[in-house]
Structures are given as structure tokens and as C-alpha cells.
């Protein structure tokens, strides 16, 4: 039998057209959550056009720990994550991608850090991290270039701002996401920028990661949007 973990955790999962994988992902999260002292899973459906909401609602019928938060229309990953983080009820809150590219068990590495600092973020770019399935080389190259741009413009010293696996003390999450404004993929950068502006300590923790070939991120379009958003972040939070 798996060891019990004396933690209470809210898990926020943004979802957009995820009918094919949200069911198995929820089963994995539920299996892990039952090892915790307390847990809730908040799936924020971002205006899906498929059966994502129906799949989550069916799971939620038999699992009181699962909550479906439905956005009225597609607003962006940042908006979905922000809603879930602001509605979390337990002392710590994690957001993770619906594909679970980082296995949920790696939250235990972040737990070790969250007792020392208010924000612990998964990283694929520091010693001890392990990329089990790589992205195509052009995606990795563009990702590294964007991370260098982010470090120069917004978050110096943070090597991987975009890993979708971040843990917060819930009171800190409410403070940060209450100030956040970006709705798109660069919301991570805005949150980390706000941490620097407010003097909130952040630590990077090495995690495992597997590329999902069904990723909805466009390496060109979304990288250009995120680069634009860097300017918006600095103007908004001057």
C-alpha cells in the first residue's frame, strides 16, 4: 500500500478540448489524492467545443473531490488557471497541465521546498531534472530562446518559467493571481515577475517531464504572442 502523505492540496487543471485524455488524467490524480490528508481537483474548462465538460461532470458525480468550473467561453489558459487558483480552498495549491507531462507524484519534491518558500516551481532546465520524452529539436530550440528572453526581460535567474507544474501556498496564490491580468500562455511569466516585484521567494525544483505530441501550443504563433506579452507585463506592473 502506498505511503500516506500528511498534506492538503488543491489541484487546478486547465482544460480546453481535452475529452480524450482528461478522464485518464483525473483517474491518476484521484488515485494520488487518496494518499493525501485532504485534496480537491478543480478542472477549469476553458470553453471547450468537445465533450470535456461532460466527461468531467460524469467523474464528479461519483467523486466529491472533483469540481468542474466552466468558463462561459474560451478565454485562454491564463484565465482558466487564475480562476482555479482563486477558488482553491486548501492550504497549498498546484496547477498542472491536463496531459500530466510532469507526473503528479513529483509534487512531493515541491512539498519539500514549499515549507521554506511560498512558491515552488517545477523545472526542466536545472540539475536533477529528467526529460523522458523530448520535444522536436526546433521546439526545444525555440523554448530555450524564449527562456533566455524571459530571463533578460522579466525573471532573471529563473531557468524554466514555462513548465506547467507550480505549487503555491494558497494565500500567496490569491495575492499573485488577484493581481495578474494576462489570459494567455505567458501568464506564468507574469506570476513570476510579480513574485520578484513583491519580494516573494521562488525556488526551482527539478522534475521529470515527457513531451505530449498532442500539445496545442504553436511554436511560432504562441512564442510570438508570449514575446509581445513580455512588454505588456512590464507596462502593466510598472
Amino acid at each position: 500500500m502506498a505511503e500516506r502523505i500528511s498534506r492538503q492540496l488543491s489541484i487546478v487543471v486547465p482544460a480546453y478540448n481535452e475529452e480524450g485524455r482528461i478522464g485518464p488524467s483525473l483517474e491518476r490524480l484521484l488515485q494520488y489524492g487518496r494518499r493525501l490528508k485532504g485534496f480537491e481537483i478543480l478542472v477549469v474548462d476553458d470553453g471547450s467545443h468537445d465533450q470535456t465538460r461532460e466527461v468531467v461532470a460524469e467523474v464528479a458525480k461519483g467523486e466529491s473531490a472533483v469540481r468542474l468550473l466552466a468558463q462561459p467561453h474560451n478565454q485562454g489558459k491564463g484565465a482558466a488557471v487564475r480562476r482555479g487558483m482563486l477558488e482553491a480552498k486548501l492550504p497549498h495549491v498546484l496547477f498542472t497541465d491536463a496531459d500530466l507531462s510532469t507526473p503528479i507524484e513529483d509534487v512531493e519534491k515541491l512539498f519539500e521546498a514549499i515549507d521554506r518558500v511560498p512558491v515552488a516551481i517545477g523545472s526542466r532546465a536545472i540539475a536533477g531534472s529528467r526529460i523522458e520524452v523530448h520535444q522536436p529539436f526546433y521546439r526545444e530550440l525555440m523554448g530555450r530562446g524564449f527562456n533566455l528572453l524571459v530571463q533578460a526581460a522579466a525573471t532573471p535567474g529563473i531557468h524554466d518559467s514555462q513548465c506547467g507544474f507550480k505549487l503555491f501556498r494558497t494565500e500567496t496564490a490569491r495575492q499573485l493571481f488577484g493581481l495578474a491580468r494576462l489570459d494567455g500562455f505567458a501568464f506564468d511569466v507574469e506570476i513570476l515577475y510579480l513574485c520578484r516585484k513583491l519580494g516573494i521567494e521562488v525556488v526551482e525544483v527539478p522534475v521529470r517531464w515527457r513531451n505530449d505530441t498532442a500539445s496545442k501550443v504553436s511554436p511560432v504563433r504562441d512564442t510570438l504572442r508570449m514575446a509581445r506579452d513580455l512588454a505588456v507585463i512590464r507596462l502593466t506592473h510598472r
Side-chain angles (χ1 to χ4, degrees):
M1 183 176 177
E3 182 182 354
R4 298 284 294 177
I5 301 167
S6 183
R7 298 280 185 172
Q8 296 185 75
L9 180 66
S10 297
I11 304 170
V12 173
V13 185
Y16 179 64
N17 292 342
E18 295 286 359
E19 66 177 6
R21 54 189 176 187
I22 194 63
S25 291
L26 282 175
E27 187 53 48
R28 282 187 62 190
L29 293 174
L30 285 164
Q31 185 176 21
Y32 182 79
R34 294 181 187 114
R35 295 172 53 196
L36 298 170
K37 182 179 179 181
F39 76 103
E40 63 174 352
I41 302 169
L42 292 78
V43 181
V44 187
D45 179 79
D46 190 26
S48 295
H49 301 300
D50 63 2
Q51 298 298 304
T52 298
R53 294 188 189 191
E54 289 77 6
V55 173
V56 177
E58 187 62 30
V59 174
K61 285 181 183 178
E63 297 286 352
S64 61
V66 177
R67 294 169 57 197
L68 171 63
L69 305 177
Q71 299 283 71
H73 55 84
N74 180 245
Q75 298 177 50
K77 183 179 180 181
V81 171
R82 183 166 63 245
R83 180 175 178 190
M85 300 298 272
L86 292 174
E87 294 202 24
K89 297 177 179 178
L90 298 179
H92 296 108
V93 55
L94 172 85
F95 76 76
T96 182
D97 290 335
D99 59 11
L100 302 184
S101 289
T102 294
I104 185 59
E105 292 78 11
D106 277 19
V107 73
E108 292 167 36
K109 302 176 184 178
L110 276 60
F111 280 149
E112 294 175 12
I114 206 72
D115 292 331
R116 295 181 283 107
V117 299
V119 181
I121 64 174
S123 178
R124 302 160 292 185
I126 60 174
S129 61
R130 190 165 86 236
I131 308 297
E132 296 177 341
V133 177
H134 282 262
Q135 294 175 304
F137 78 93
Y138 62 89
R139 280 183 177 265
E140 288 197 350
L141 190 62
M142 293 185 74
R144 289 172 189 161
F146 181 71
N147 271 322
L148 289 174
L149 180 61
V150 168
Q151 287 191 60
T155 58
I158 293 179
H159 299 87
D160 185 2
S161 61
Q162 296 306 114
C163 182
F165 199 77
K166 293 180 171 68
L167 179 68
F168 300 76
R169 296 176 189 169
T170 298
E171 68 270 18
T172 303
R174 290 191 182 123
Q175 179 185 12
L176 292 167
F177 283 88
L179 293 170
R181 295 293 176 266
L182 288 187
D183 292 340
F185 284 109
F187 78 95
D188 307 70
V189 179
E190 182 183 29
I191 293 299
L192 296 174
Y193 183 79
L194 284 168
C195 286
R196 291 294 170 84
K197 293 279 285 186
L198 298 172
I200 295 171
E201 190 174 356
V202 178
V203 66
E204 284 187 271
V205 178
V207 294
R208 294 171 288 167
W209 190 80
R210 297 174 61 88
N211 178 55
D212 189 325
T213 56
S215 171
K216 298 179 177 67
V217 178
S218 165
V220 176
R221 182 192 66 232
D222 290 315
T223 297
L224 290 173
R225 286 177 178 172
M226 287 189 285
R228 176 204 62 196
D229 285 345
L230 288 178
V232 174
I233 290 168
R234 293 183 65 90
L235 287 170
T236 301
H237 301 292
R238 277 196 304 195

